[in-house]
Amino acid sequence: MKVTLEYKSDQEYRSINESGNVVDIDMFPENKQAQSPTQLLLSGVVACAAVDIVSMIKKKRKTLVDFKGSAEGERRDEHPRKFVNIHIHYDLTSPDLTDEEAEKIIQLAVVKYCSVAASLDSEMKITHGHSIIRP
């Protein structure tokens, strides 16, 4: 796996993967045009687990009408300003998925299968929650 980084300006970059897919990155404090590197990390965590969550729900033959996720991270004040905790939340729209099933699936996805979360500092706390919305 490899990505290439291109310079656009002092606070703007472009990342390109081996397939040619592009992600713009910026470090502007205001008027952001793209995600920052730390926002991309949060996006990676919430998306990585999402793939497994959706797959496991479908393997259980449950109906998934809609799916949304969010990740919120708290960073320390001193440099390096690494994350000290991340909370992931998923909104699952399903007529037949139970809270118990959702909790088990999300726990497995975040803790066991998400390679992005597993790559982070083991001292960092990652928590998760969910809401089930009935259509």
Side-chain angles (χ1 to χ4, degrees):
M1 183 179 301
K2 179 181 178 181
V3 297
T4 303
L5 188 71
E6 294 179 354
Y7 173 86
K8 292 173 65 178
S9 76
D10 290 354
Q11 295 189 353
E12 292 179 285
Y13 297 85
R14 174 169 286 144
S15 177
I16 305 165
N17 72 3
E18 295 164 310
S19 299
N21 304 110
V22 176
V23 174
D24 288 321
I25 302 166
D26 82 42
M27 278 68 99
F28 296 120
E30 298 175 8
N31 300 319
K32 296 192 70 56
Q33 301 298 308
Q35 292 190 39
S36 70
T38 50
Q39 289 168 329
L40 286 168
L41 187 140
L42 290 177
S43 294
V45 170
V46 72
C48 179
V51 172
D52 291 315
I53 292 166
V54 170
S55 174
M56 286 188 270
I57 289 170
K58 291 185 175 192
K59 282 181 183 174
K60 287 189 165 288
R61 300 182 189 269
K62 298 296 179 171
T63 305
L64 186 62
V65 176
D66 196 13
F67 180 88
K68 292 182 180 151
S70 63
E72 188 172 342
E74 180 184 350
R75 296 168 63 193
R76 59 187 219 163
D77 292 328
E78 59 277 351
H79 290 281
R81 295 198 58 227
K82 67 182 184 175
F83 286 105
V84 292
N85 64 60
I86 292 175
H87 181 74
I88 302 168
H89 185 87
Y90 294 102
D91 291 321
L92 311 156
T93 302
S94 174
D96 55 359
L97 184 68
T98 68
D99 275 323
E100 295 79 17
E101 289 169 325
E103 175 58 33
K104 184 177 180 180
I105 288 169
I106 293 167
Q107 175 73 17
L108 279 170
V110 172
V111 174
K112 186 173 182 179
Y113 298 119
C114 179
S115 56
V116 176
S119 298
L120 299 174
D121 186 338
S122 61
E123 293 180 16
M124 184 184 59
K125 184 177 179 182
I126 299 177
T127 58
H128 62 272
H130 71 275
S131 299
I132 296 180
I133 300 158
R134 302 294 179 203

